[in-house]
Structures are given as C-alpha cells and as structure tokens.
Amino acid sequence: MHAAATGSLPAAVAGAPLTIAHIPGATALFETTETYSKALFGDDFQNRVAALACRDMKFMQATEGLIQPKFFDNGLNGHVVRIASDFYKKYRRLPNDGSIWTRVLTDEMVAKRLSKDDARLVAAKLHELFGVDISDRDYVVDRTVEFAKHQAVQSAILNSVNLLERREFDRVNKMITDAVNIGKHEEGGAYDMREQLMARTADRIDRLMGKKLPQGITTGVPKLDARLYHQGWGRKELSVLLGGAKTGKTTALLNFAINATAAGFNVLYLTLEVSAAIIADRMDSNISEIKAMELFQHHDTVRQKVTEFFDRTRANLKVHEFPTGTLSVSDLRRIIERYKGQGVLFDMVVVDYADLMRPDRHSDQAIENSKSIYIGLRGLAMEENIALLTATQANREGYKSAVVKAEHVAEDFNKVRIADILISISLTDEERANGYARLFFAAARNSASGFSLTIMQDIERMKFIKDIVEEGAGAPLMPVV
C-alpha cells in the first residue's frame, strides 16, 4: 500500500489490469486476516451476533448501523440482521414475539424481498437463533466492533484496487480511514424527532387499524389493561403495587406473573419473603383453581391442570428464593444473564418485593439504600427491555386509611418518583369478608391517576382479581393511539 500511496505502482502491472496481488503486502495480509477471521469470527460468533441483533435491544442500540448483512458467511444470518435492523430503524424497538416476526416475514414476501422458500428458511433460522446463548452482551459488542472493522477494512482494500489504478489516492485513504474508525455507539444512538416522525405516524396507524398488537405485558385482566398506557405492564418500566400488611401484595404479584405466562411471556419471579415452595403451592392453586388448603386432597387434578397449563403456554415461569436482604440488583442482573446463556430471554421480572432487597453499595442512610434499589431496578428494566413489577409496604397511616395513596408509601417517597406507575390496594374488613378490594391509581408517569377500580377476589384460590366490578369516577380507558 505504501508504494501505491506514493504514486509508484509496481512495474509488473504496467499495461495489465491491477489485482490485489499487485499491492505490496496485500496477499500476505489477506492470508493472515482470513485465518484471524475464522479463529475469532467463525459460525458460533456470527450466530451469536445475529441472535443478539434480533433479540436484544441494548445490543442493537450499541451496534446500530455497524453490522452489514454481507459480513455474514451464512446468508440467513444476513437476512435476519437486515430485517431486525430495518424494523429497529423504523420503530426503535425489536419484534418481541412470534406473531410480530410472522407478520414481518409476511411483509418481506409481499415486498418481494424474500421468496416464500427463503422466508421459511429465515423462520427456521430465527427459531434456531432464539435458542442461542446471548449472555455476555458487552463482550460480544466489543468483538462485534472488531468483526465489523475487520470485514469493512477487507472490503475497503478489495474495493480500492480500481481506485489505485486510477490513482484516486484520497478516496482510497477515506475508504480505509472510515473502515478503521468503525466503533460502537456508547450513547445508544440518537433519536431524530424529524426523521422518525413518519415512523411514529405509521406506528400509530398500525395500532389504530389493529395491525400492531399492544406492547405491554398483559395483566390478564382486559379491564385493567385498558387503563394502562401500554395495555399492560410497560417494558422498560418499573410498576409498583402499594399496600399494607396482609392486603394481598404477594397474591397480586404471583397472579400477574401467571397471567403473563399464560399469554406466552417468559417470567422470572424472585421471592424474598415467602419460600419458593409456598409460592409454587400458591401458583398451583391459582392455575388449578383448587383451594390452597385442599391441594393435598386433589393432588392428581392439580398435577393434570398445571401440566396442561404449561403445555399450552410453552412459556417459562422461573421462581428463585432468596433470604430477606440478600438479593441486590447486580445479583438479579447476573441471574438474567445466566438464563440468556440457556436461551431464555425474560419479558417480565417480578420481585416480591423490592423493599426486602439489599443495595449494591450500602449506606448508613436507609432512604439512600431504598432509592438506590429502586433506581437500579428501573435501570435494569430499561437495559433488558423487560417489564419489572414489584410491591412496597404502606405506612401505618395508609394501613388505617380507607384509600391508600402515594403519600402513604413507607420510609422513602423516592419510590413514588422513580416508579412509572403506582397502584395501591385498599380494603376494609367488610370488603375482605365479602371478597372485594379496591385498586387506586395513586401515581402514573404516562397515564391518568387518582381513580379507583373495585375488584372481586377469590383469595382461597389465589385469584387476586376475578373481575372488575365497579369503576370509580374518572377511570378513563387508554386511547388506542
């Protein structure tokens, strides 16, 4: 390259077409880089990159515009990355379930970017990629930068042959420099309001026409979903249930976890107060609709109904037990990463409950510890594109109050500021005896608050909500758009 850059081309090329072999040192470079490429960037690595590109939002943010389909040895990986990248560029998110991917592949066929046979192959490749280990994301991002840089430099060298023949050295220099300067997006990519306006409009039209499904994780109660901004628990958000002692917080959390699983979402449930065995019994009661106190007598029916439930959903519901005060946000992050290594990507994480976690860095100030935990949980929800649901304790005044409100949060009011939505559980002794309770929308970042819903319950069968029987004044439905 040095001889060419100084304007003195090898004599051997005089009067003959220039090839890569005529560039001093280029042949040796390609032999070396090809060996290097196969060692570091072989099929396993390329499969992991493609898997992350179609499943992990943070990876896509860090590598947006970096990976080109032509970089992949397997053309199916290239198709998957192209489709995922186009979807992300338009909607600033990734398809998050099989039905969306099916629609996207159908659109690819209609637009004649994929034949029917190729679409089947891509669908099979997607199925394979959803079982690939996608742990150690940050490490793979760094290696992906090297991969993209290597492929781009190699392509630049090949494409510079004709430019060298025409002595267009400035263009050669720019091409090589651009390839060498390839890097990840530390800031996750900018969102241009003007450029993304049409994408937002198209997204709203799709929602209005029913072409795009709600992105929330369903509560399993349509009347409750209709009051939530995302038509369910929001991804990248922290949702908090507030209640006094023995008001059903754990029952609510496990009920919502089961309902999400029934809808096909992968759920991780962490219990810090009640043992995993008891949580499992309560979940069995909910699923089988057998009273918790009668599970032993009806063990055969319980086994059959729970087996049928998981055969239907095919989703994962994992329960982890931790002693009170031992689980930190960093611990939770490591658990999520371990499951990624097994091909399990969670849609929702339920912490029962956050007040019983420990901060990553302990302070002498209880409020600082609490704030650190809640900020960490919300940050984790954003990083992992999950809905994070937890509960918090009401103070004594709240326990005595007819309606538990935001000001009744125990110990640390920062919880209210950090949470995206805070829903309280209130009930009188009479309501408890008759199987009723009230949900009060105490605070919400993206939707209305200050209204209540009266719910019917069956606590003996661990059904926190059987139905919503009354809607208080000012209980609006969320608009479709």
Side-chain angles (χ1 to χ4, degrees):
M1 290 295 274
H2 179 70
T6 58
S8 54
L9 293 174
V13 304
L18 186 66
T19 68
I20 196 68
H22 295 131
I23 302 176
T27 301
L29 172 65
F30 272 96
E31 289 175 354
T32 301
T33 55
E34 187 172 355
T35 302
Y36 176 75
S37 175
K38 287 180 178 178
L40 287 184
F41 307 130
D43 290 343
D44 288 345
F45 174 81
Q46 293 187 27
N47 279 337
R48 184 174 289 202
V49 170
L52 281 161
C54 66
R55 294 165 58 192
D56 193 292
M57 276 284 293
K58 193 170 183 181
F59 178 84
M60 186 59 82
Q61 290 169 349
T63 61
E64 184 180 9
L66 188 64
I67 317 167
Q68 298 182 33
K70 66 181 180 181
F71 289 170
F72 294 88
D73 297 332
N74 185 323
L76 293 175
N77 279 335
H79 277 307
V80 168
V81 169
R82 174 186 61 78
I83 294 167
S85 298
D86 288 348
F87 192 95
Y88 176 77
K89 184 176 181 180
K90 182 174 182 180
Y91 298 111
R92 310 312 293 177
R93 62 179 181 83
L94 293 172
N96 56 21
D97 60 45
S99 65
I100 301 296
W101 273 110
T102 299
R103 184 179 294 276
V104 169
L105 291 181
T106 301
D107 291 342
E108 288 287 309
M109 288 188 287
V110 171
K112 300 189 182 303
R113 289 186 291 266
L114 283 180
S115 68
K116 184 179 291 187
D117 288 340
D118 284 344
R120 288 197 185 99
L121 292 173
V122 171
K125 185 65 179 179
L126 276 166
H127 181 75
E128 174 192 336
L129 293 176
F130 270 78
V132 168
D133 177 358
I134 58 169
S135 58
D136 298 321
R137 176 213 299 128
D138 294 340
Y139 171 82
V140 179
V141 168
D142 288 339
R143 297 292 76 76
T144 300
V145 174
E146 292 182 24
F147 170 63
K149 189 175 296 187
H150 171 269
Q151 301 293 75
V153 169
Q154 181 170 278
S155 177
I157 292 173
L158 285 169
N159 293 332
S160 68
V161 171
N162 290 332
L163 296 176
L164 285 170
E165 191 173 28
R166 297 197 298 268
R167 304 173 71 82
E168 296 182 30
F169 305 128
D170 288 342
R171 289 184 63 187
V172 171
N173 181 64
K174 184 179 186 308
M175 192 179 296
I176 299 295
T177 300
D178 289 346
V180 170
N181 287 336
I182 283 176
K184 64 184 176 183
H185 305 299
E186 296 290 354
E187 76 288 354
Y191 185 98
D192 189 299
M193 285 296 294
R194 179 185 290 274
E195 287 186 6
Q196 295 298 324
L197 176 57
M198 292 307 296
R200 295 195 300 277
T201 303
D203 182 73
R204 289 162 185 157
I205 292 172
D206 284 348
R207 290 174 65 180
L208 184 64
M209 302 300 292
K211 293 181 179 180
K212 178 183 172 184
L213 298 174
Q215 297 308 299
I217 309 300
T218 180
T219 65
V221 185
K223 291 179 183 178
L224 179 56
D225 284 348
R227 271 78 188 171
L228 298 172
Y229 181 79
H230 299 285
Q231 313 294 296
W233 308 117
R235 290 181 184 270
K236 298 188 177 183
E237 292 187 357
L238 175 62
S239 302
V240 179
L241 303 179
L242 167 65
K246 315 304 180 187
T247 53
K249 297 187 294 297
T250 292
T251 305
L253 292 175
L254 67 85
N255 204 159
F256 291 135
I258 290 168
N259 290 349
T261 307
F265 295 105
N266 289 330
V267 178
L268 174 62
Y269 191 103
L270 303 111
T271 174
L272 292 93
E273 185 178 40
V274 180
S275 73
I278 292 176
I279 293 295
D281 279 348
R282 293 180 181 182
M283 287 183 171
D284 283 347
S285 175
N286 177 290
I287 294 169
S288 67
E289 299 187 336
I290 300 292
K291 292 180 180 180
M293 298 298 291
E294 298 178 2
L295 292 175
F296 301 104
Q297 297 96 307
H298 303 283
H299 60 86
D300 221 29
T301 301
V302 173
R303 178 189 54 77
Q304 181 180 349
K305 289 190 175 182
V306 173
T307 299
E308 291 172 353
F309 172 85
F310 284 105
D311 285 347
R312 282 195 306 271
T313 179
R314 299 291 182 182
N316 289 283
L317 174 54
K318 306 290 187 181
V319 180
H320 284 246
E321 170 191 334
F322 289 87
T324 299
T326 62
L327 176 71
S328 71
V329 173
S330 294
D331 295 330
L332 177 50
R333 183 178 282 107
R334 282 190 287 271
I335 293 169
I336 291 171
E337 287 295 319
R338 277 204 306 274
Y339 275 109
K340 283 183 183 179
Q342 301 170 24
V344 178
L345 199 64
F346 290 110
D347 301 289
M348 181 174 176
V349 172
V350 180
V351 179
D352 184 9
Y353 49 96
D355 293 358
L356 303 179
M357 293 179 69
R358 69 173 176 85
D360 281 307
R361 293 184 179 180
H362 186 78
S363 166
D364 292 335
Q365 301 294 321
I367 289 179
E368 285 303 311
N369 291 332
S370 171
K371 180 180 177 182
S372 170
I373 290 168
Y374 276 78
I375 287 176
L377 287 175
R378 190 170 190 276
L380 181 64
M382 295 190 70
E383 289 173 14
E384 300 297 337
N385 192 36
I386 56 176
L388 211 153
L389 177 64
T390 190
T392 189
Q393 191 78 13
N395 58 25
R396 289 183 180 180
E397 289 182 11
Y399 189 67
K400 297 174 184 177
S401 177
V403 178
V404 180
K405 298 183 178 180
E407 58 264 32
H408 296 136
V409 167
E411 296 180 349
D412 178 19
F413 195 76
N414 285 304
K415 300 171 189 177
V416 179
R417 298 189 182 99
I418 297 166
D420 291 277
I421 187 163
L422 180 71
I423 300 175
S424 72
I425 306 167
S426 304
L427 69 165
T428 63
D429 291 340
E430 182 181 358
E431 286 171 328
R432 188 194 301 272
N434 290 310
Y436 293 96
R438 282 166 288 111
L439 301 183
F440 179 71
F441 281 59
R445 196 183 309 277
N446 299 314
S447 57
S449 60
F451 63 90
S452 63
L453 304 174
T454 300
I455 61 175
M456 181 187 296
Q457 302 182 298
D458 184 354
I459 299 301
E460 286 187 317
R461 293 174 176 82
M462 297 297 132
K463 301 285 187 181
F464 180 73
I465 301 179
K466 286 186 64 179
D467 194 12
I468 292 176
V469 295
E470 185 180 347
E471 303 166 9
L477 288 168
M478 286 304 301
V480 175
V481 180

